[in-house]
Amino acid sequence: MDQPSATSPSPLSSTADVHGHDHVVTTVADQVATITLNRPEAMNALTLVMKAGLLEALERVRDDHGVRAVLLTGAGGAFCVGQDLREHAANLEAGVGLDDTVRSHYNPIVTTIMTMEKPVVAAVNGVAAGAGASLAFACDFRVAAEEARFVTAFGSIGLAPDSGASWTLPRLVGPAKARELLMLGGEVDAAEALRLGLVTSVVPGGSVAASARELAVRLAQGPTLAFGAIKRALDFSAAHSLEDSLEVEAELQDTCAKSTDHIRATEAFLARRAPVFEGR
């Protein structure tokens, strides 16, 4: 198994537009892949190139057994303001509407984040709006800067939610609050987001990257197979009966019980020493 041990991030991939700008940058260190939306001059608004690059990056780190946790963030002062509306307006003028970008890009991006059998942490360094907020909601953990804001901007431009917001938001804040946020819009600041349970923690802006990375490294040192099983169990139980959920728990437990991590962690517990997980 490839398990990089270097602490200095090494570039894994980047996605360049026609001008050669790297708009999605992936680096790996300490078994944590950091994916950075890198279009700060546009508050990391998502263009076609960026969406394709983000999906490619997510699929790459999902399949890389040397990566045991993923950190998603934005460059500059924003996390992501969602769809690039200039590009969208050009599509409307050309008569192609959404150009099927919800099915072709947003849906597989969110599906990859949510079904990835390793933890995904969002470092929300600033505003997260529209599909950008949805991307943060799809992650397993959200570490927000004090300056962060979440804006469910879909209704304000006459659109329904996408990128999973109709699925994730009710599960994070409850159906009534989700309806309020999506229909009435407005902003949720970091303090309110923490009170609602929308974020995991709020930290000073200058330390959001370090705090989120600290959490990601901690997760990368954990029982990766068990984390994946926990994600699958929670997602399954959200839409299935108790009986069916119990059976899935039994199946997942059978799988985890055979893992090296479980066997060695049990030995470590009995020997009264800290376990060392290898993610297998």
Side-chain angles (χ1 to χ4, degrees):
M1 181 180 297
D2 182 18
Q3 295 184 336
S5 57
T7 55
S8 299
S10 59
L12 184 65
S13 66
S14 62
T15 300
D17 66 3
V18 294
H19 304 294
H21 300 147
D22 293 334
H23 285 170
V24 178
V25 177
T26 305
T27 58
V28 176
D30 300 320
Q31 297 179 286
V32 174
T34 299
I35 300 175
T36 303
L37 302 173
N38 187 35
R39 197 174 172 232
E41 71 279 6
M43 302 180 78
N44 302 313
L46 296 164
T47 61
L48 177 62
V49 170
M50 287 183 71
K51 288 179 282 188
L54 177 57
L55 178 57
E56 179 182 349
L58 288 167
E59 291 176 338
R60 185 192 299 266
V61 299
R62 175 197 62 192
D63 298 335
D64 186 341
H65 296 296
V67 171
R68 294 172 59 188
V70 177
L71 181 60
L72 178 64
T73 192
F79 179 73
C80 174
V81 294
Q83 172 65 41
D84 185 299
L85 290 183
R86 293 185 184 279
E87 184 180 83
H88 175 60
N91 285 340
L92 292 179
E93 187 174 350
V96 297
L98 296 172
D99 201 23
D100 203 37
T101 193
V102 175
R103 292 186 180 85
S104 298
H105 303 106
Y106 289 118
N107 288 359
I109 286 170
V110 168
T111 299
T112 304
I113 291 173
M114 297 191 66
T115 61
M116 190 181 304
E117 295 198 348
K118 56 189 75 172
V120 184
V121 178
V124 185
N125 49 313
V127 64
S134 300
L135 293 181
F137 299 156
C139 295
D140 298 302
F141 300 91
R142 285 155 294 284
V143 178
E146 290 174 340
E147 301 82 2
R149 294 174 289 132
F150 295 88
V151 186
T152 51
F154 301 103
S156 65
I157 56 170
L159 288 175
D162 64 29
S163 308
S166 66
W167 199 95
T168 55
L169 199 52
R171 287 164 170 79
L172 288 169
V173 300
K177 192 64 180 180
R179 188 178 299 264
E180 176 187 326
L181 293 174
L182 290 170
M183 297 186 73
L184 299 181
E187 295 183 1
V188 176
D189 63 24
E192 178 69 0
L194 183 62
R195 190 188 70 78
L196 292 172
L198 202 53
V199 299
T200 311
S201 61
V202 176
V203 299
S207 63
V208 65
S211 296
R213 177 167 174 72
E214 181 180 3
L215 174 59
V217 170
R218 172 186 166 187
L219 290 164
Q221 295 173 347
T224 311
L225 287 177
F227 287 157
I230 291 169
K231 292 180 68 167
R232 289 177 59 187
L234 289 172
D235 288 346
F236 185 88
S237 68
H240 292 83
S241 68
L242 172 62
E243 180 181 12
D244 290 342
S245 298
L246 289 172
E247 179 54 32
V248 167
E249 283 185 359
E251 293 171 1
L252 293 171
Q253 207 68 303
D254 285 342
T255 300
C256 288
K258 299 173 185 174
S259 70
T260 300
D261 278 347
H262 169 68
I263 293 169
R264 292 185 177 174
T266 302
E267 294 171 351
F269 177 83
L270 294 175
R272 297 185 177 184
R273 52 181 167 76
V276 176
F277 297 109
E278 299 179 0
R280 59 188 175 92

